[in-house]
Amino acid sequence: MLDELDRRLIASTQGGLPLVPRPYEAVAAELGVSADWVTARLRTMLDQGLIRRIGAVPDHMRLGYTANGMTVWNVADDRVDELGAKVGALPSVSHCYRRPRALPDWPYNLFAMVHGQAQAEVEREAARIRALLGEACSGADILYSTAILKKTGLRLARP
């Protein structure tokens, strides 16, 4: 159960951590507690499943990566986990995951997000992925982002 201090902690972090060198110290100062308490309480909330994760969500477009392509791959089922781990480890891939196919229209089961400063850069990275997948891949495509959707974390309901 959340107490009032937990609610204040969530409210102070739900829009993102402060962009300062020591964000947990800034949150702690706002709440009148120690930075150790903030990190310990957030860890407890993670362990209890009250929050799922704490992570950085970069705005790739503001960082100069205006060509953002979700590469989609039709990979042999018996190799998708093995090859997906290799694709996900590439420096050009920000996230990679397996999803079920939706046959007959959607044969792809491996997704890998690639960011570049131009579409040609994304296509070069996709060619590297294609080479890594080899004969286990029987089809691919690149879906380019046209807008950034607002990403948000935990939000407390207002009474």
Side-chain angles (χ1 to χ4, degrees):
M1 195 64 162
L2 297 176
D3 64 20
E4 183 55 33
L5 190 53
D6 288 334
R7 290 181 181 284
R8 288 179 48 219
L9 173 59
I10 292 169
S12 70
T13 58
Q14 69 185 5
L17 292 173
L19 298 176
V20 297
R22 299 189 187 290
Y24 294 118
E25 289 180 11
V27 171
E30 179 185 330
L31 298 176
V33 298
S34 71
D36 287 341
W37 181 89
V38 169
T39 56
R41 187 61 190 135
L42 288 172
R43 179 162 314 283
T44 298
M45 288 179 174
L46 284 165
D47 292 344
Q48 293 175 343
L50 296 170
I51 56 178
R52 286 188 293 167
R53 67 179 172 264
I54 298 170
V57 182
D59 182 335
H60 294 92
M61 289 197 175
R62 286 183 59 194
L63 293 172
Y65 295 94
T66 56
N68 303 293
M70 178 60 76
T71 62
V72 294
W73 308 91
N74 183 354
V75 178
D77 288 328
D78 63 337
R79 307 245 357 247
V80 68
D81 290 335
E82 164 211 348
L83 292 170
K86 291 179 180 181
V87 170
L90 295 172
S92 61
V93 175
S94 65
H95 51 282
C96 179
Y97 47 91
R98 179 182 188 174
R99 290 287 185 261
R101 294 177 172 89
L103 297 173
D105 300 320
W106 191 257
Y108 309 111
N109 61 342
L110 183 66
F111 296 61
M113 189 67 177
V114 176
H115 303 280
Q117 295 179 332
Q119 284 190 1
E121 185 178 352
V122 171
E123 290 167 9
R124 278 192 304 275
E125 292 304 319
R128 286 188 183 109
I129 294 170
R130 180 67 178 95
L132 186 150
L133 296 174
E135 293 181 10
C137 179
S138 61
D141 205 346
I142 303 174
L143 311 172
Y144 287 99
S145 300
T146 57
I148 296 292
L149 301 177
K150 184 177 181 182
K151 300 171 187 171
T152 61
L154 173 66
R155 298 287 186 262
L156 291 178
R158 300 200 187 268

